[in-house]
C-alpha cells in the first residue's frame, strides 16, 4: 500500500455537492462512487443525477432517508442508466421518477461490492485502490460542529446515520486518516471534506462499505 | 425578524452549540496531534434533533464481514 493515496489527485472525483435540507446523503455517496468508477474506467468524469436515485430508488424514501445498499441493489437489479446531473437536476425534495429513452446517455452499474471491513481497514485501503472511492456509512452526530482536523473521538461504531464517500487515505503523519467527501457543501469541514482516523473503526466507517462496478 | 420567538430559539441553539464545542474540544480528548476541532459553522443554530432529522437520514444495514478470499481478488 502507498503511504498516501487520493483519487482526487488523479482527477477522478467530482466536486463536493450540497444536499441542502434533503436527507439524501445515501444517494449522494453512491452516485459520487459511480461517477468516479465510470471515470476510472477511462470515461469522462461527469456529474450524474442524484435526484434520479432519490426519486426512483423505490426501496428508499427519497429526501426522508434511504440506504446506500438498497440503492445499489436497485441500480444493479434494474440496470437503470443514471442521467447527467444537468439533465435531471437536483431539487432538494423527492419528486416523481422520470424515465428516459434507452438511447439517451446514461451510466449503469454491472455489479457492486458491499462488506463490513471492521477490523480490516488495511484491506479496505486496498479495496479503495482497486475499486475506486468507497461509499460508507458513519455516525455523524458530532459532525454538526466539525471544523477540521482528524476525528478520533466523539462518535460510535454500529450507529450509522449518515453516508459519505471515501476518496483516499494518508498514513504519512502520526495519525493515519481516511479522506472523506461529505455532501454538505464546501463551507463545511475542510472544503467539504472530513478526516477520520484509520484503524479503530472510528464513527463506524468500516461497518458498511460499498462500491459500484461499472 | 428581530425579537421574534424563532430568533430567540435560534439564539438558544447557538448558545448550546458553544457549550458543546467546549466539551468536544476538551483537552482530555484532544491532546493528540491533529485532533479534530469543533466550533461555529452553518449548523450552529440548529438543535441536535433538527440536525439529525434533516441531515442524518441514512439507514443502517448489516453486511457480511469481508474475508480476503484470494490474492487474485485482492490484486
Amino acid at each position: 500500500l502507498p503511504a498516501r493515496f487520493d483519487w482526487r489527485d488523479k482527477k477522478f472525483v467530482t466536486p463536493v455537492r450540497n444536499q441542502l435540507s434533503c436527507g439524501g446523503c445515501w444517494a449522494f455517496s453512491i452516485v459520487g462512487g459511480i461517477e468516479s468508477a465510470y471515470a476510472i474506467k477511462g470515461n469522462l468524469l461527469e456529474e450524474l443525477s442524484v435526484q434520479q436515485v432519490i426519486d426512483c430508488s423505490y426501496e428508499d424514501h427519497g429526501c426522508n432517508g434511504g440506504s446506500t445498499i438498497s440503492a445499489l441493489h436497485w441500480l444493479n437489479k434494474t440496470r437503470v442508466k443514471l442521467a447527467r446531473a444537468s439533465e435531471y437536476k437536483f431539487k432538494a425534495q423527492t419528486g416523481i421518477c422520470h424515465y428516459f429513452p434507452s438511447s439517451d446517455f446514461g451510466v449503469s452499474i454491472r455489479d457492486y461490492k458491499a462488506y463490513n471491513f471492521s477490523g480490516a481497514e488495511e484491506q479496505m485501503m486496498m479495496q479503495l485502490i482497486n475499486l475506486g472511492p468507497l461509499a460508507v456509512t458513519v455516525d455523524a452526530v458530532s459532525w454538526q460542529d466539525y471544523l477540521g482536523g482528524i476525528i478520533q473521538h466523539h462518535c460510535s461504531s454500529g450507529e450509522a446515520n449518515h453516508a459519505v464517500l471515501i476518496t483516499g487515505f494518508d498514513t504519512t503523519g502520526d495519525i493515519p486518516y481516511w479522506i472523506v467527501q461529505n455532501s454538505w457543501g464546501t463551507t463545511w469541514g475542510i472544503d467539504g471534506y472530513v478526516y477520520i482516523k484509520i484503524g479503530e473503526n472510528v464513527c463506524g466507517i468500516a461497518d458498511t462499505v460499498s462500491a459500484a462496478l461499472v | 425578524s428581530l425579537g421574534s420567538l424563532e430568533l430567540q430559539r435560534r439564539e438558544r441553539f447557538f448558545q448550546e452549540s458553544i457549550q458543546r464545542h467546549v466539551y468536544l474540544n476538551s483537552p482530555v480528548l484532544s491532546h493528540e496531534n491533529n485532533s479534530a476541532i469543533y466550533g461555529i459553522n452553518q449548523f450552529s443554530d440548529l438543535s441536535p434533533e433538527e440536525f439529525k432529522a434533516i441531515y442524518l437520514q441514512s439507514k443502517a444495514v448489516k453486511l457480511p464481514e469481508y474475508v480476503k478470499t484470494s490474492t487474485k481478488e485482492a490484486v
Side-chain angles (χ1 to χ4, degrees):
Chain A
L1 284 168
R4 189 185 188 283
F5 184 88
D6 190 348
W7 283 109
R8 287 182 297 176
D9 298 340
K10 303 177 191 306
K11 313 288 182 210
F12 286 147
V13 181
T14 50
V16 171
R17 288 166 155 117
N18 194 334
Q19 67 184 79
L20 303 173
S21 56
C22 167
C25 57
W26 53 279
F28 281 88
S29 66
I30 62 153
V31 170
I34 294 167
E35 290 164 344
S36 292
Y38 183 67
I40 292 164
K41 275 277 186 180
N43 302 294
L44 202 64
L45 180 66
E46 301 214 46
E47 287 195 39
L48 301 173
S49 177
V50 175
Q51 189 68 44
Q52 187 177 1
V53 178
I54 288 171
D55 291 348
C56 305
S57 181
Y58 59 86
E59 292 172 5
D60 297 296
H61 302 96
C63 284
N64 293 323
S67 132
T68 52
I69 306 305
S70 62
L72 283 171
H73 177 72
W74 165 72
L75 281 167
N76 192 41
K77 192 169 70 176
T78 60
R79 294 287 192 268
V80 161
K81 291 203 286 185
L82 285 183
R84 288 190 179 95
S86 57
E87 286 164 13
Y88 198 148
K89 289 191 174 68
F90 180 60
K91 298 190 184 87
Q93 57 185 11
T94 316
I96 295 164
C97 179
H98 291 268
Y99 295 90
F100 295 90
S102 57
S103 56
D104 281 13
F105 169 84
V107 177
S108 59
I109 71 169
R110 62 178 172 81
D111 199 1
Y112 70 94
K113 303 274 185 194
Y115 290 107
N116 177 339
F117 279 92
S118 54
E121 283 179 72
E122 202 161 307
Q123 296 297 322
M124 191 170 144
M125 291 156 82
M126 198 176 282
Q127 293 301 316
L128 176 90
I129 293 170
N130 288 340
L131 300 175
L134 302 172
V136 297
T137 62
V138 287
D139 168 25
V141 169
S142 67
W143 296 18
Q144 178 174 3
D145 304 297
Y146 177 78
L147 293 182
I150 305 168
I151 294 183
Q152 301 166 54
H153 309 286
H154 305 308
C155 55
S156 316
S157 58
E159 294 180 27
N161 44 43
H162 186 46
V164 287
L165 185 70
I166 300 181
T167 65
F169 59 79
D170 192 332
T171 65
T172 57
D174 294 342
I175 312 286
Y177 61 88
W178 294 110
I179 300 166
V180 179
Q181 188 190 63
N182 201 353
S183 52
W184 294 343
T186 52
T187 56
W188 180 87
I190 307 156
D191 298 323
Y193 280 74
V194 50
Y195 298 157
I196 301 175
K197 186 180 182 182
I198 292 175
E200 295 167 20
N201 195 16
V202 174
C203 302
I205 194 163
D207 284 338
T208 306
V209 181
S210 60
L213 310 178
V214 300
Chain B
S1 58
L2 223 62
S4 70
L5 282 176
E6 182 59 19
L7 184 64
Q8 286 173 28
R9 248 165 53 89
R10 296 295 151 201
E11 281 177 344
R12 182 162 54 84
F13 295 149
F14 185 80
Q15 294 298 332
E16 287 169 3
S17 82
I18 291 169
Q19 297 301 312
R20 284 200 309 273
H21 305 158
V22 171
Y23 165 72
L24 292 167
N25 290 322
S26 70
V28 176
L29 291 175
S30 57
H31 64 280
E32 295 103 334
N33 288 342
N34 305 312
S35 204
I37 301 163
Y38 300 88
I40 296 164
N41 65 14
Q42 68 263 49
F43 302 129
S44 297
D45 65 346
L46 295 178
S47 71
E49 292 73 29
E50 284 175 324
F51 178 73
K52 280 181 207 169
I54 299 168
Y55 296 100
L56 305 184
Q57 290 293 337
S58 178
K59 311 291 182 233
V61 173
K62 288 267 181 218
L63 291 176
E65 281 186 23
Y66 177 78
V67 180
K68 191 178 162 189
T69 50
S70 68
T71 311
K72 191 179 167 191
E73 187 187 337
V75 169

